[in-house]
Amino acid sequence: MALLEVENLSIGYNTKGGYLKAVEGVSFALEEGQSLGFVGESGCGKTTIGMALMGLLPSNGSITQGRILFEGEDLLEISEKKMRQIRWGKIAMIFQAAMNALNPVQRVVDQIAEAIMTHSPAVGKRGAIEQVKDLFQIVGIPQERMRDYPHQYSGGMKQRAIIAMALACRPKLIIADEPTTALDVIVQDQILEETKNLQREFNIGMIFISHDISIVADVSHDIGIMYAGQLVEYGAREEVFESPVHPYTKALLSSYPTITGDRSLLQPIPGETPNLIYPPDGCRFCDRCPGAKPGCGEESPVWVDVSPGHKTLCYHC
Amino acid sequence: MDNQPNPILQIEDIRKVYKTKGSVLGGPGTDVVALDRISLEIYKGEIFGLVGESGSGKTTVGRLIVSLEKANQGEIFLDDVEITGLKGRALKGFRRRVQMIFQDPYQSLNPQRSVYDTISEPLAVHAIGNPETRQELVEEAMKSVGLSPPGDFLHRYPHRLSGGQRQRVAIARAMVLRPQFVIADEPTSMLDASISAQIFNILLEMRENLSVTILFITHSLAAARYLCDRIAVIYRGNLMEIGPGEEIIRSPRHPYTQALIDAIPKFGHSGEIKRYGTLLGTEREGTNGLCCAFFPRCKVASETRCGEERPRLNECSPLHSVACHYAEEGFEL
């Protein structure tokens, strides 16, 4: 049984302008100890998926369709009380802009200890602090900095503290939403390396969410490319990056400057992403697609298998 | 570029210190050295990349050049005219020739001004043309950044523009005066990859068609490699390495540049990735204010040399200079 199976998930938001279809018909699965990366540009729905998995959608958001099976149990069917145990206990999240996720007027050690005590009151304060000590060792923060306040930490240390907090209850699944966006490249590299090691050591399933292909490529076994609320290509990392099939994946890869290989002209994707309150009929990438054919704008595309485990949402590739 | 590069901008021995406020209890403020005696030349018609991490001083360089701030020491020359002391009419003339594109197009545009108002304002300030000719100049600038047909955008306000369109407006505003020199400070850090690439290509076209010189300030070596003829790497207010872009990427000489390149995630090239491994696992104490800026994190450094004496930029091959005691003789790890 997979650790997580998401089937045909659709999520929308009530907004002033109308009903926004943020995520539509997304399905994927994650095995224990594996990692999955979602890449897409702003507004593609990747963060919404993360929030839905945590049961933390904002009040104007709702799941209109689909199932989220975690260890075989549908998270959309269980009580809020049960969900509260699973959230942080079994599924933890590293939020975007983690620098702001710490309480500025509480010592870092107390914040993490509190999270531990909330989920296992039997541990007691002293026991919780012992656990924090271990966690800091794991994520590489010196012990003598435990009693500091968040403002005394550098950006990288705050990020490590946030990772420590995510690990605190020994979760089975961690969702990392842009975990390194605000960090400098050297610190980012250290944090990603650390994360990979922790994942292996504790056999944690991970979902990485980022707009930055290179980060996701670095840490994920499987990759899902998202565009305008839909998953458009899905497969093993090597497959998706070395032989991409969906025109959007190809376009995204060739719009990204690298330091390896030849310095070739970047191919920007013309146009802008569609409005998801009135999504276009047919394929959503059709307007910007260099290979669009008559009919792409009318009929919704269906999933096509490229090779075992590698599939794409496009007729023509 | 000609064989004899022709500098348009020269920065000489610039030092900038920010003073922090003391504590409310009367504790003393401290001095933060943002730029520590930096010198560099930017050649006519090139795109010059200034690459550094947050807090490295890269934005301060840009702000000093456009006279948004004053240096504590040193001189800046544009076309051989010293600019730090300019006042009045001369300063206004200078501002017409040097323009800036800011990082965040969500903040750099006035929400209460239409696209036309925004782009035509510099023309009004510098009393160029009359209303009709101004409209023509504005439309021309808009077309050159891909906002066409201009009629569709002229009377829109920023809230009705996407991030990419806003940044195009900001570029058009900078370019409408036909400046000689433009500073682009992280112009794409708020934009998605596919839109960033559009902006990069607009900057390349500008250089081609309007022969403007561009200082491109960025944290991304990959973006600098794509756009720039030459790249300078800055760390904690010190220039570490400067040279032709491709050479800096393929054969970096400074241990810090090498550590940066190590840290960039490489994708699509699984297999043989060479690591330089110049970054120290745990930082060591900087001995004193004189040590090399990278000394605390450098695996190559020696206590006696790098800990005592700050290295100066030295040419290691034509156009390529490095500030490292060990770059010349080479080092093995």
Side-chain angles (χ1 to χ4, degrees):
Chain A
M1 186 178 59
L3 176 67
L4 177 76
E5 265 179 279
V6 171
E7 289 171 10
N8 205 19
L9 186 67
S10 295
I11 305 167
Y13 294 106
N14 279 313
T15 68
K16 264 192 267 168
Y19 188 73
L20 189 145
K21 301 178 190 77
V23 172
E24 218 165 60
V26 167
S27 304
F28 60 89
L30 179 70
E31 299 291 332
E32 212 167 281
Q34 293 284 299
S35 59
L36 166 63
F38 284 119
V39 188
E41 300 181 277
S42 23
C44 72
K46 53 194 192 302
T47 295
T48 298
I49 292 180
M51 290 305 208
L53 294 177
M54 287 292 281
L56 288 176
L57 282 176
S59 57
N60 66 336
S62 57
I63 295 173
T64 52
Q65 173 179 246
R67 301 203 296 168
I68 301 175
L69 299 173
F70 179 72
E71 296 185 316
E73 199 170 16
D74 190 346
L75 298 185
L76 303 180
E77 301 289 328
I78 62 174
S79 66
E80 177 54 33
K81 189 171 167 214
K82 186 104 192 273
M83 187 64 208
R84 218 174 293 157
Q85 285 163 5
I86 292 180
R87 189 187 299 141
W88 296 117
K90 291 193 165 177
I91 308 179
M93 189 159 183
I94 300 169
F95 289 100
Q96 234 173 83
M99 349 301 282
N100 307 327
L102 292 168
N103 182 347
V105 295
Q106 197 181 13
R107 293 181 201 279
V108 178
V109 56
D110 294 337
Q111 298 188 38
I112 301 175
E114 190 179 296
I116 295 171
M117 286 189 294
T118 308
H119 280 272
S120 28
V123 178
K125 175 111 194 203
R126 192 159 295 170
I129 288 179
E130 278 309 307
Q131 287 191 20
V132 178
K133 257 188 204 159
D134 294 342
L135 286 167
F136 271 37
Q137 179 128 33
I138 291 169
V139 299
I141 306 179
Q143 300 262 320
E144 62 268 22
R145 304 296 299 271
M146 267 180 42
R147 289 184 55 74
D148 282 1
Y149 287 93
H151 76 268
Q152 293 167 292
Y153 278 16
S154 67
M157 282 173 74
K158 280 186 215 168
Q159 196 65 35
R160 286 170 201 265
I162 291 290
I163 293 172
M165 200 184 290
L167 288 171
C169 300
R170 307 279 159 181
K172 292 293 229 351
L173 172 66
I174 294 182
I175 301 160
D177 187 1
E178 306 273 12
T180 60
T181 300
L183 302 177
D184 280 321
V185 58
I186 289 179
V187 182
Q188 165 178 297
D189 185 48
Q190 291 166 339
I191 299 271
L192 290 178
E193 203 51 43
E194 199 90 43
T195 314
K196 275 193 277 188
N197 293 340
L198 291 174
Q199 181 193 11
R200 265 194 299 263
E201 198 178 327
F202 298 106
N203 203 32
I204 302 168
M206 291 215 60
I207 295 179
F208 287 96
I209 296 171
S210 180
H211 70 285
D212 188 337
I213 316 166
S214 61
I215 289 172
V216 169
D218 201 37
V219 290
S220 310
H221 299 109
D222 288 335
I223 302 280
I225 309 281
M226 290 197 67
Y227 183 75
Q230 294 176 322
L231 207 51
V232 295
E233 182 160 357
Y234 187 88
R237 167 182 58 186
E238 295 77 15
E239 291 257 340
V240 174
F241 286 126
E242 278 160 33
S243 31
V245 273
H246 196 282
Y248 177 65
T249 313
K250 289 184 192 166
L252 197 60
L253 287 171
S254 58
S255 68
Y256 204 86
T258 61
I259 59 159
T260 48
D262 293 329
R263 189 169 90 152
S264 51
L265 195 64
L266 294 184
Q267 302 292 337
I269 309 176
E272 310 258 343
T273 47
N275 178 336
L276 292 183
I277 294 176
Y278 307 104
D281 292 334
C283 172
R284 293 185 174 177
F285 189 57
C286 174
D287 287 352
R288 306 172 78 188
C289 179
K293 304 224 165 31
C296 283
E298 284 110 54
E299 254 179 284
S300 298
V302 291
W303 283 99
V304 179
D305 285 317
V306 184
S307 62
H310 183 187
K311 53 185 187 159
T312 177
L313 192 67
C314 176
Y315 288 126
H316 299 290
C317 36
Chain B
M1 216 187 299
D2 307 339
N3 285 340
Q4 272 299 313
N6 188 1
I8 181 170
L9 187 97
Q10 288 155 293
I11 293 177
E12 277 176 20
D13 215 21
I14 280 282
R15 184 177 158 86
K16 175 72 187 170
V17 180
Y18 290 108
K19 290 192 188 306
T20 61
K21 269 190 206 148
S23 87
V24 277
L25 300 176
T30 45
D31 286 356
V32 179
V33 181
L35 293 176
D36 195 8
R37 304 188 60 195
I38 287 212
S39 300
L40 58 86
E41 285 186 340
I42 297 177
Y43 305 142
K44 220 164 242 173
E46 76 173 337
I47 302 185
F48 184 90
L50 186 58
V51 181
E53 298 179 284
S54 41
S56 61
K58 57 188 190 300
T59 293
T60 303
V61 172
R63 294 175 65 84
L64 288 172
I65 294 173
V66 289
S67 285
L68 282 174
E69 290 182 46
K70 294 270 171 255
N72 299 72
Q73 174 197 318
E75 293 173 307
I76 301 174
F77 296 91
L78 181 77
D79 267 343
D80 298 324
V81 178
E82 213 286 315
I83 60 171
T84 52
L86 290 183
K87 286 198 179 78
R89 194 178 289 254
L91 180 61
K92 196 168 169 184
F94 161 77
R95 290 227 153 110
R96 182 174 166 178
R97 292 157 61 204
V98 177
Q99 288 288 312
M100 185 146 181
I101 300 162
F102 293 94
Q103 182 168 4
D104 184 354
Y106 291 87
Q107 289 184 28
S108 69
L109 299 183
N110 184 334
Q112 301 184 342
R113 305 192 126 237
S114 69
V115 170
Y116 176 77
D117 293 341
T118 300
I119 303 177
S120 67
E121 187 178 15
L123 296 172
V125 168
H126 292 279
I128 297 169
N130 55 43
E132 285 103 75
T133 53
R134 269 179 213 161
Q135 172 126 3
E136 253 168 56
L137 289 170
V138 168
E139 290 191 3
E140 200 183 311
M142 288 173 70
K143 278 187 207 146
S144 72
V145 296
L147 287 171
S148 56
D152 286 2
F153 298 96
L154 266 182
H155 302 293
R156 283 204 210 173
Y157 287 83
H159 73 272
R160 287 189 54 216
L161 299 172
S162 67
Q165 288 167 342
R166 284 174 205 229
Q167 198 56 294
R168 285 163 198 255
V169 171
I171 296 175
R173 172 177 60 186
M175 295 309 297
V176 74
L177 292 170
R178 294 298 180 93
Q180 291 170 287
F181 190 86
V182 167
I183 297 159
D185 187 359
E186 301 257 24
T188 65
S189 65
M190 305 294 290
L191 306 174
D192 277 320
S194 68
I195 309 295
S196 298
Q198 294 175 3
I199 300 291
F200 290 155
N201 288 351
I202 287 172
L203 293 177
L204 287 172
E205 275 169 32
M206 301 258 144
R207 190 263 298 268
E208 217 47 50
N209 301 336
L210 306 172
S211 59
V212 59
T213 307
I214 300 174
L215 169 60
F216 178 67
I217 298 173
T218 182
H219 68 279
S220 161
L221 264 178
R225 178 199 186 205
Y226 179 62
L227 273 182
C228 302
D229 305 295
R230 289 191 304 140
I231 292 176
V233 178
I234 185 171
Y235 180 70
R236 296 195 182 169
N238 289 262
L239 281 185
M240 307 309 256
E241 182 160 10
I242 177 167
E246 204 57 20
E247 205 174 307
I248 296 276
I249 303 291
R250 289 189 186 267
S251 38
R253 302 288 292 269
H254 199 287
Y256 173 65
T257 316
Q258 295 177 345
L260 270 185
I261 287 178
D262 274 354
I264 297 174
K266 293 152 195 83
F267 68 102
H269 293 267
S270 47
E272 18 57 71
I273 292 170
K274 177 186 162 198
R275 274 213 163 224
Y276 295 100
T278 46
L279 194 69
L280 207 56
T282 38
E283 289 194 23
R284 61 163 91 83
E285 287 284 310
T287 43
N288 53 42
L290 296 173
C291 70
C292 169
F294 191 51
F295 173 73
R297 299 167 82 189
C298 183
K299 211 181 231 178
V300 181
S302 69
E303 296 276 345
T304 46
R305 218 165 150 195
C306 310
E308 298 295 330
E309 184 196 345
R310 178 156 299 189
R312 309 288 300 168
L313 269 178
N314 260 323
E315 199 164 78
C316 59
S317 63
L319 288 176
H320 191 164
S321 303
V322 187
C324 173
H325 292 305
Y326 289 99
E328 207 165 321
E329 55 216 65
F331 45 79
E332 289 287 324
L333 283 169

